[in-house]
Amino acid sequence: MINIDALLKKVQKPARYVGGELNSYAKDVSRTDIRYGFCFPDTYDVGLCHLGMKILYEVLNLRDDTFCERFFAPWTDMEQEMRAANVPLFSLETHTPAAEFDFLGFTLQYEMSYTNILNMLDLGGVPIFAKDRGEDAPFVNAGGPCAYNPEPLAEFFDFFTFGEGEEVINELMDEYAAWKKRGGKRIEYLRAISKIEGIYVPSFYDVEYNEDFTLRSMAPRLPEAGYPIPKRIIADLDNVVYPKKFIVPYSDIIHDRVSLEVFRGCIRGCRFCQAGMIYRPVREKSPETLVADAKAIIDATGYEEIGLLSLSTSDYTRLEQLTDGLLEFTEGEHIGLSLPSLRVDNFSLDLLNRVQKVRKSGLTFAPEAGTQRMRDVINKNVTEEDLLHSATLAFQNGYNTIKLYFMIGLPYETNEDIEGIAHLAQAVVSAYYAAVPKGARRGVQVNISVSSFVPKPFTPFQWARQNTPSELRKKQQLLKNTIRSKQIKYSYHESDVSVLEGVFARGDRRLCAVLYEAWRRGCKLDSWSETFRMDKWLEAFSACGIDMEFYTRERGADERFPWEICSVGVSREFLARENEKARNGETTPNCREKCSACGAAALCEGGKCCV
């Protein structure tokens, strides 16, 4: 165990590094055969909120033979002190160096965390490249949404998991226990797990490129390695492990509340949304399970807020029954309910009244685009009338602040679509004055948050060209100049970060060299504005002789994609059809209205989607 007391006196947020929080696991290391380090490649404040970590932490620690501990990326002040004192990256539970673990498992939630992975491995004394790891090194693995395109990280990981991890993680541990008992070689374990559905071992594949650097082939070199590799899904969410004792931090974190996962998947089919495609099909938890879980977590933590999590909470088929069940105990104990991800086309006064029974939380809607033409292009299937109706209901019931999410840089976008964002926000402001009598007005504020569109794998826009930083800045300025009202507050994301995210989202294995070079030049914590260095990234691309625009260009209709090593269930043919419909401004009904034959039904029992 590492003594870190001297270091903690020198950093701003020592609570990030001490461990020992309420409900964290403490096991006798001498009685466990497998030590698994769950690594979140960002700071403690961000990572501790992550539901996937909470779930797999519980799954692994329910095993008698396994102790799962947590690792987070240290902030710059702590890293400086650790390197100066030759202190390696350590776990929170026992302050054990990373190199002493059997597994280091990273969750890949966003592309701008990639340099943190390399930094954590280096700080932990673990070889950064998989090929350099000896027999005693940890197996470094990854899962999560960004793992659906693992190629920009392929040289750094021993294996990846595609899909949901609650079942496959136990299969991996069972295989490891048997392998360890046999005294096998490292390569033998990798060969054994490559037979497990959902597991990808990059070193078992040969990758070739065409003269124009597009992908020619990805060919398995071993009979155990498949192509493509299907993702894993959990069919029955009511009978899968869900943590009942959330870890309670000593310090503030980004979302410090109970997270209640209502369902997985989405019926909507928004063409920009990767999550809506890769998490299909829809599978719901029962209200009874959700209420029981919520009660147990509240009892174990003392939290005063429950957030219902899904891609579109108001699409839950038994939402009224669920909210009634939750309110039976939350109202008396003054526990608030938070319902993010509400859609403007099925927002109701009844739902609003239920949510605000204990306390009002902020209201957020996501029209995504400023004009109906653009909303049809992205298949949002909401209208201006839907938004104004929902806003009016909110204003009539005491709300005077609403947040709206939009995107710019979408395929087939015009300047009129950009200006439409300002006009739509102004219409919401006007709806306030129409809905609230003059004597009851307290002032209104409409906050619009505008992100830059990033084409993602396994979406209908995976072929699209991404706007350049210059184009995005011009659009941001156009929108700013179009906003006339003081009641509208405008914020946006940095265009350089968005474009770099897009490069790695649709990248190939050649980007491993760029990533390593960028980290070597000092890039890390790239999702934080105070540490992001675009100049260093540009130097890295130049040093490696790789053009960023190769990855942001429009893709050919028949081009082979690196991410197609994974099969997510949604077919390429369906995505191509949706892309063509977007070009023509045609919409597709949601899955409950009409099946669009996306391919995800093949993942369900009996070949019928669970919607």
Side-chain angles (χ1 to χ4, degrees), residues 1-3 35 37 69 71 82 86-92 94-104 120 123-126 138:
M1 179 183 289
I2 300 170
N3 189 331
R35 300 192 70 179
E69 304 182 48
F71 291 84
M82 290 170 67
N86 291 317
V87 171
L89 185 71
F90 54 86
S91 65
L92 259 63
T94 61
H95 296 176
T96 300
E100 296 182 17
F101 279 72
D102 300 301
F103 292 89
L104 295 175
M120 290 173 73
L123 190 57
V126 178

Short mmCIF file of all heavy atoms in Angstrom, two decimals, residues 1-3 35 37 69 71 82 86-92 94-104 120 123-126 138:
data_model
loop_
_atom_site.label_atom_id
_atom_site.label_comp_id
_atom_site.label_asym_id
_atom_site.label_seq_id
_atom_site.Cartn_x
_atom_site.Cartn_y
_atom_site.Cartn_z
N MET A 1 0.85 -1.21 0.00
CA MET A 1 0.00 0.00 0.00
C MET A 1 0.88 1.25 0.00
O MET A 1 1.85 1.33 0.75
CB MET A 1 -0.93 0.01 1.22
CG MET A 1 -1.82 1.26 1.29
SD MET A 1 -2.85 1.33 2.77
CE MET A 1 -4.02 0.04 2.44
N ILE A 2 0.51 2.20 -0.85
CA ILE A 2 1.26 3.45 -0.97
C ILE A 2 0.76 4.46 0.07
O ILE A 2 -0.44 4.62 0.26
CB ILE A 2 1.09 4.04 -2.38
CG1 ILE A 2 1.61 3.05 -3.42
CG2 ILE A 2 1.79 5.38 -2.51
CD1 ILE A 2 1.27 3.44 -4.84
N ASN A 3 1.68 5.14 0.72
CA ASN A 3 1.32 6.21 1.65
C ASN A 3 1.26 7.52 0.88
O ASN A 3 2.28 7.99 0.35
CB ASN A 3 2.34 6.29 2.78
CG ASN A 3 1.90 7.25 3.89
OD1 ASN A 3 1.17 8.21 3.64
ND2 ASN A 3 2.33 6.98 5.11
N ARG A 35 -7.59 -9.56 -9.15
CA ARG A 35 -7.69 -8.13 -8.82
C ARG A 35 -7.96 -7.37 -10.11
O ARG A 35 -7.17 -7.42 -11.05
CB ARG A 35 -6.41 -7.64 -8.13
CG ARG A 35 -6.13 -8.38 -6.84
CD ARG A 35 -5.05 -7.71 -6.03
NE ARG A 35 -5.50 -6.43 -5.47
CZ ARG A 35 -4.73 -5.66 -4.71
NH1 ARG A 35 -3.49 -6.02 -4.45
NH2 ARG A 35 -5.20 -4.51 -4.24
N GLY A 37 -8.89 -3.71 -11.82
CA GLY A 37 -8.90 -2.25 -11.67
C GLY A 37 -9.84 -1.63 -12.68
O GLY A 37 -9.57 -1.69 -13.88
N GLU A 69 -11.36 -2.70 -7.79
CA GLU A 69 -11.03 -1.40 -7.21
C GLU A 69 -11.08 -0.34 -8.31
O GLU A 69 -11.11 -0.66 -9.49
CB GLU A 69 -9.64 -1.44 -6.56
CG GLU A 69 -9.53 -2.54 -5.51
CD GLU A 69 -8.17 -2.57 -4.82
OE1 GLU A 69 -7.70 -1.49 -4.40
OE2 GLU A 69 -7.58 -3.66 -4.72
N PHE A 71 -9.86 3.30 -10.32
CA PHE A 71 -8.80 4.23 -10.68
C PHE A 71 -9.41 5.40 -11.44
O PHE A 71 -10.29 5.21 -12.28
CB PHE A 71 -7.76 3.57 -11.60
CG PHE A 71 -6.92 2.52 -10.94
CD1 PHE A 71 -7.37 1.21 -10.81
CD2 PHE A 71 -5.65 2.83 -10.47
CE1 PHE A 71 -6.59 0.23 -10.22
CE2 PHE A 71 -4.86 1.86 -9.88
CZ PHE A 71 -5.33 0.56 -9.75
N MET A 82 2.83 13.30 -7.82
CA MET A 82 3.08 11.86 -7.90
C MET A 82 4.36 11.57 -8.69
O MET A 82 5.19 10.75 -8.27
CB MET A 82 1.88 11.16 -8.57
CG MET A 82 0.63 11.14 -7.70
SD MET A 82 -0.84 10.59 -8.60
CE MET A 82 -0.42 8.85 -8.92
N ASN A 86 7.82 9.88 -7.39
CA ASN A 86 7.86 8.51 -7.93
C ASN A 86 6.75 7.63 -7.37
O ASN A 86 6.96 6.45 -7.07
CB ASN A 86 9.23 7.86 -7.68
CG ASN A 86 10.33 8.51 -8.49
OD1 ASN A 86 10.16 8.81 -9.67
ND2 ASN A 86 11.48 8.75 -7.84
N VAL A 87 5.58 8.22 -7.24
CA VAL A 87 4.40 7.48 -6.78
C VAL A 87 3.58 7.06 -7.99
O VAL A 87 3.14 7.92 -8.77
CB VAL A 87 3.54 8.33 -5.83
CG1 VAL A 87 2.21 7.64 -5.52
CG2 VAL A 87 4.29 8.64 -4.55
N PRO A 88 3.36 5.77 -8.22
CA PRO A 88 2.61 5.32 -9.39
C PRO A 88 1.11 5.52 -9.21
O PRO A 88 0.62 5.76 -8.09
CB PRO A 88 2.94 3.83 -9.48
CG PRO A 88 3.20 3.44 -8.06
CD PRO A 88 3.85 4.64 -7.40
N LEU A 89 0.37 5.44 -10.30
CA LEU A 89 -1.09 5.48 -10.24
C LEU A 89 -1.57 4.38 -9.31
O LEU A 89 -1.13 3.22 -9.42
CB LEU A 89 -1.68 5.29 -11.63
CG LEU A 89 -3.21 5.42 -11.74
CD1 LEU A 89 -3.64 6.86 -11.57
CD2 LEU A 89 -3.69 4.87 -13.09
N PHE A 90 -2.48 4.71 -8.40
CA PHE A 90 -2.89 3.75 -7.37
C PHE A 90 -4.41 3.66 -7.30
O PHE A 90 -5.13 4.58 -7.70
CB PHE A 90 -2.33 4.16 -6.01
CG PHE A 90 -2.67 5.57 -5.61
CD1 PHE A 90 -3.86 5.87 -4.97
CD2 PHE A 90 -1.78 6.61 -5.88
CE1 PHE A 90 -4.18 7.17 -4.62
CE2 PHE A 90 -2.09 7.92 -5.53
CZ PHE A 90 -3.29 8.20 -4.89
N SER A 91 -4.88 2.55 -6.77
CA SER A 91 -6.32 2.33 -6.61
C SER A 91 -6.84 3.09 -5.39
O SER A 91 -6.10 3.34 -4.43
CB SER A 91 -6.61 0.84 -6.44
OG SER A 91 -6.04 0.35 -5.23
N LEU A 92 -8.13 3.44 -5.44
CA LEU A 92 -8.72 4.14 -4.30
C LEU A 92 -8.92 3.24 -3.10
O LEU A 92 -8.76 3.66 -1.96
CB LEU A 92 -10.06 4.78 -4.71
CG LEU A 92 -10.01 6.28 -5.02
CD1 LEU A 92 -9.12 6.56 -6.21
CD2 LEU A 92 -11.40 6.82 -5.25
N THR A 94 -7.34 0.36 -1.94
CA THR A 94 -6.19 -0.10 -1.15
C THR A 94 -4.91 0.65 -1.45
O THR A 94 -3.85 0.30 -0.91
CB THR A 94 -5.94 -1.61 -1.40
OG1 THR A 94 -5.66 -1.81 -2.80
CG2 THR A 94 -7.16 -2.44 -1.01
N HIS A 95 -4.97 1.65 -2.35
CA HIS A 95 -3.77 2.41 -2.73
C HIS A 95 -2.68 1.49 -3.27
O HIS A 95 -1.49 1.67 -2.96
CB HIS A 95 -3.27 3.26 -1.57
CG HIS A 95 -4.22 4.33 -1.14
ND1 HIS A 95 -4.01 5.16 -0.06
CD2 HIS A 95 -5.43 4.73 -1.66
CE1 HIS A 95 -5.02 6.00 0.08
NE2 HIS A 95 -5.89 5.76 -0.89
N THR A 96 -3.11 0.52 -4.08
CA THR A 96 -2.18 -0.43 -4.69
C THR A 96 -1.80 0.07 -6.08
O THR A 96 -2.66 0.53 -6.83
CB THR A 96 -2.84 -1.82 -4.81
OG1 THR A 96 -3.20 -2.28 -3.51
CG2 THR A 96 -1.90 -2.82 -5.46
N PRO A 97 -0.52 -0.02 -6.47
CA PRO A 97 -0.10 0.41 -7.81
C PRO A 97 -0.82 -0.35 -8.92
O PRO A 97 -1.10 -1.55 -8.79
CB PRO A 97 1.41 0.11 -7.83
CG PRO A 97 1.81 0.12 -6.39
CD PRO A 97 0.63 -0.44 -5.65
N ALA A 98 -1.09 0.34 -10.01
CA ALA A 98 -1.84 -0.25 -11.12
C ALA A 98 -1.17 -1.48 -11.69
O ALA A 98 -1.83 -2.44 -12.10
CB ALA A 98 -2.03 0.80 -12.22
N ALA A 99 0.15 -1.49 -11.73
CA ALA A 99 0.89 -2.60 -12.34
C ALA A 99 0.71 -3.91 -11.59
O ALA A 99 1.01 -4.98 -12.13
CB ALA A 99 2.38 -2.25 -12.43
N GLU A 100 0.21 -3.87 -10.36
CA GLU A 100 0.03 -5.09 -9.56
C GLU A 100 -1.32 -5.76 -9.78
O GLU A 100 -1.61 -6.79 -9.18
CB GLU A 100 0.24 -4.78 -8.08
CG GLU A 100 1.65 -4.31 -7.75
CD GLU A 100 1.86 -4.05 -6.27
OE1 GLU A 100 1.03 -4.54 -5.46
OE2 GLU A 100 2.84 -3.37 -5.92
N PHE A 101 -2.15 -5.19 -10.64
CA PHE A 101 -3.47 -5.75 -10.89
C PHE A 101 -3.42 -6.78 -12.01
O PHE A 101 -2.53 -6.75 -12.87
CB PHE A 101 -4.47 -4.65 -11.21
CG PHE A 101 -4.98 -3.94 -9.99
CD1 PHE A 101 -4.16 -3.08 -9.27
CD2 PHE A 101 -6.27 -4.15 -9.54
CE1 PHE A 101 -4.62 -2.44 -8.13
CE2 PHE A 101 -6.75 -3.52 -8.40
CZ PHE A 101 -5.92 -2.67 -7.69
N ASP A 102 -4.41 -7.67 -12.02
CA ASP A 102 -4.54 -8.66 -13.10
C ASP A 102 -5.17 -8.04 -14.33
O ASP A 102 -4.82 -8.38 -15.47
CB ASP A 102 -5.37 -9.86 -12.63
CG ASP A 102 -4.75 -10.56 -11.44
OD1 ASP A 102 -3.59 -11.02 -11.57
OD2 ASP A 102 -5.39 -10.63 -10.38
N PHE A 103 -6.12 -7.14 -14.11
CA PHE A 103 -6.81 -6.45 -15.20
C PHE A 103 -6.87 -4.96 -14.91
O PHE A 103 -7.05 -4.54 -13.76
CB PHE A 103 -8.26 -6.95 -15.35
CG PHE A 103 -8.40 -8.36 -15.83
CD1 PHE A 103 -8.44 -9.41 -14.91
CD2 PHE A 103 -8.52 -8.64 -17.18
CE1 PHE A 103 -8.57 -10.71 -15.35
CE2 PHE A 103 -8.66 -9.95 -17.62
CZ PHE A 103 -8.68 -10.98 -16.70
N LEU A 104 -6.76 -4.17 -15.97
CA LEU A 104 -7.08 -2.75 -15.92
C LEU A 104 -8.13 -2.52 -17.01
O LEU A 104 -7.83 -2.60 -18.20
CB LEU A 104 -5.85 -1.88 -16.17
CG LEU A 104 -4.74 -1.97 -15.10
CD1 LEU A 104 -3.53 -1.16 -15.53
CD2 LEU A 104 -5.26 -1.49 -13.73
N MET A 120 -2.50 7.45 -17.86
CA MET A 120 -2.74 6.60 -16.69
C MET A 120 -1.89 5.34 -16.74
O MET A 120 -1.35 4.90 -15.73
CB MET A 120 -4.23 6.26 -16.59
CG MET A 120 -5.11 7.45 -16.22
SD MET A 120 -6.89 7.10 -16.30
CE MET A 120 -7.10 6.07 -14.82
N LEU A 123 1.68 6.43 -15.98
CA LEU A 123 1.80 6.78 -14.57
C LEU A 123 1.73 5.54 -13.69
O LEU A 123 2.32 5.48 -12.61
CB LEU A 123 0.69 7.77 -14.20
CG LEU A 123 0.76 8.46 -12.83
CD1 LEU A 123 2.08 9.21 -12.66
CD2 LEU A 123 -0.43 9.40 -12.65
N GLY A 124 1.03 4.51 -14.17
CA GLY A 124 0.91 3.28 -13.41
C GLY A 124 2.05 2.30 -13.62
O GLY A 124 2.05 1.21 -13.03
N GLY A 125 2.99 2.64 -14.48
CA GLY A 125 4.11 1.74 -14.72
C GLY A 125 3.75 0.56 -15.59
O GLY A 125 4.42 -0.48 -15.56
N VAL A 126 2.70 0.71 -16.41
CA VAL A 126 2.25 -0.35 -17.31
C VAL A 126 2.64 0.04 -18.73
O VAL A 126 2.37 1.17 -19.16
CB VAL A 126 0.72 -0.52 -17.22
CG1 VAL A 126 0.24 -1.60 -18.21
CG2 VAL A 126 0.31 -0.87 -15.79
N PRO A 138 -0.61 -6.48 -16.38
CA PRO A 138 -2.08 -6.60 -16.39
C PRO A 138 -2.61 -6.73 -17.82
O PRO A 138 -1.98 -6.25 -18.78
CB PRO A 138 -2.54 -5.26 -15.78
CG PRO A 138 -1.35 -4.68 -15.12
CD PRO A 138 -0.15 -5.18 -15.86
#
